[in-house]
Amino acid sequence: MTVRFACAVSALTLASALSAPAFAQGPDSVAVDAAAATVVVTTAGKSTEDEIASFDLAAAAAPATPAIPVGTGNGDIAVSSAAIAAAAAAAQGTPAPRSERFSVVLNQDAFFGFYPTFNGLIPVGENVDLSFYGIMWTTDAFGTGLGSDLWTEFGIGANFILADGKLQIKPQVGLTNGALLSGGVVDEDGDPTGTGGNFADGIVPSLTINYSDDTFEAEYYGGYYAALRNRNENAALDFLHTWVNAGYKFTSNVSAGAHYELLSNTRNTFPGGSTAVVYQWLGPYVQFSLSKGFFARFTAGADIEEGGDGDFYKLAVGMSF
């Protein structure tokens, strides 16, 4: 991964930056699947992807509720409070209240390596959830060496549920922590020292849009990673990460479609550095989903960016609680 990253950095003309251990990660290693990564919410009762693969958080099993005994004498019947709430809502012609949902997705791809993600949703209104997410990057090249100061992302946002749950729109903002965007600790001249990471290394505004019905699924993600610390020194990097995919649901368990993804280094303050498109991926995906909130998605294809080297592939395995 370090060799591959070094190659990507070379493509961005950051050879001078690579000489510093703190930047073995380089600008291109900042592709967050996210961003992506970021984990995506879909409609209740259905699994879809998360890109970083989208995933049906709304289908997550509701937490167990204590049984409430009702009735008289020795024939008490245990009825859950959730069942009572659902029955009352049905009697009034209103939808049953949503429960809190939590999802974990394990991701691995040809560029970013292995990175677990999580996403939680807490209902705060009839059609709005409070969202929180995190990405735990494990690639050594994203830190300052030997697994130290690894890039770590955490953020919050809102999830808006529209079109009877088929459409969900989730704006979020996150903070990255480490050295990837800010260069970590820098000396008096603004050059990276190769040691130490920063809290609030960068800021990440993002937008995820998911649509899912009985036969069609689609997702859009766009996130901008901007250096927050040391932004005007000699080691700051920004990048744009975006993807879009869409597919057909052959059954409730199997779907397939096409995926496009772009990573572009949009700002580079390294001496002699320049901006460039890191990759453009295009290819098909296939996904298998289970009714209990588990899914597996495999995506592969070609890097269609001019000068792109090799194919791409990515695997995501998710589960909801």
Side-chain angles (χ1 to χ4, degrees):
M1 179 62 183
T2 302
V3 174
R4 183 172 182 79
F5 175 80
C7 293
V9 173
S10 177
L12 297 177
T13 65
L14 293 182
S16 60
L18 287 176
S19 63
F23 289 88
Q25 68 252 5
D28 320 84
S29 61
V30 276
V32 178
D33 230 356
T38 318
V39 179
V40 181
V41 186
T42 56
T43 99
K46 294 184 175 64
S47 295
T48 134
E49 53 181 333
D50 171 353
E51 226 337 47
I52 277 131
S54 61
F55 187 48
D56 187 358
L57 295 180
T65 54
I68 302 175
V70 297
T72 59
N74 296 326
D76 286 351
I77 301 174
V79 179
S80 73
S81 58
I84 294 175
Q92 297 174 8
T94 59
R98 299 186 312 283
S99 62
E100 300 168 349
R101 291 94 78 201
F102 190 81
S103 171
V104 175
V105 181
L106 307 179
N107 305 275
Q108 182 164 296
D109 68 36
F111 187 86
F112 300 109
F114 179 67
Y115 52 103
T117 69
F118 66 84
N119 182 222
L121 295 173
I122 303 172
V124 294
E126 183 177 351
N127 296 303
V128 182
D129 299 319
L130 171 67
S131 173
F132 61 94
Y133 80 96
I135 305 175
M136 292 169 276
W137 302 97
T138 65
T139 303
D140 285 349
F142 290 12
T144 55
L146 299 177
S148 61
D149 301 301
L150 285 177
W151 208 33
T152 303
E153 183 177 340
F154 181 76
I156 61 174
N159 181 50
F160 298 95
I161 303 170
L162 306 171
D164 296 325
K166 296 177 182 178
L167 177 65
Q168 302 201 30
I169 300 175
K170 184 166 59 175
Q172 297 187 120
V173 61
L175 286 178
T176 61
N177 305 276
L180 195 55
L181 302 182
S182 65
V185 176
V186 298
D187 61 22
E188 294 180 355
D189 296 324
D191 297 320
T193 63
T195 59
N198 291 321
F199 163 70
D201 159 73
I203 188 169
V204 192
S206 69
L207 176 66
T208 303
I209 302 175
N210 262 82
Y211 179 84
S212 178
D213 58 29
D214 291 338
T215 59
F216 181 74
E217 62 187 12
E219 178 187 50
Y220 165 81
Y221 169 80
Y224 192 81
Y225 285 72
L228 195 58
R229 300 279 295 274
N230 304 331
R231 183 165 181 80
N232 297 316
E233 304 297 343
N234 298 326
L237 301 168
D238 294 357
F239 72 88
L240 171 69
H241 189 208
T242 186
W243 69 73
V244 60
N245 50 55
Y248 178 78
K249 297 180 180 179
F250 297 95
T251 72
S252 60
N253 300 113
V254 182
S255 62
H259 176 85
Y260 170 79
E261 184 172 338
L262 167 73
L263 174 66
S264 179
N265 176 213
T266 59
R267 184 174 184 268
N268 184 343
T269 67
F270 279 82
S274 63
T275 61
V277 172
V278 181
Y279 66 68
Q280 290 191 79
W281 288 347
L282 179 64
Y285 76 83
V286 60
Q287 178 167 300
F288 297 92
S289 305
L290 303 181
S291 60
K292 294 187 180 296
F294 296 87
F295 86 96
R297 168 179 288 211
F298 182 71
T299 310
D303 185 349
I304 61 174
E305 176 62 22
E306 182 178 356
D309 184 18
D311 297 330
F312 85 91
Y313 46 88
K314 57 197 315 175
L315 179 65
V317 179
M319 60 215 77
S320 61
F321 308 92

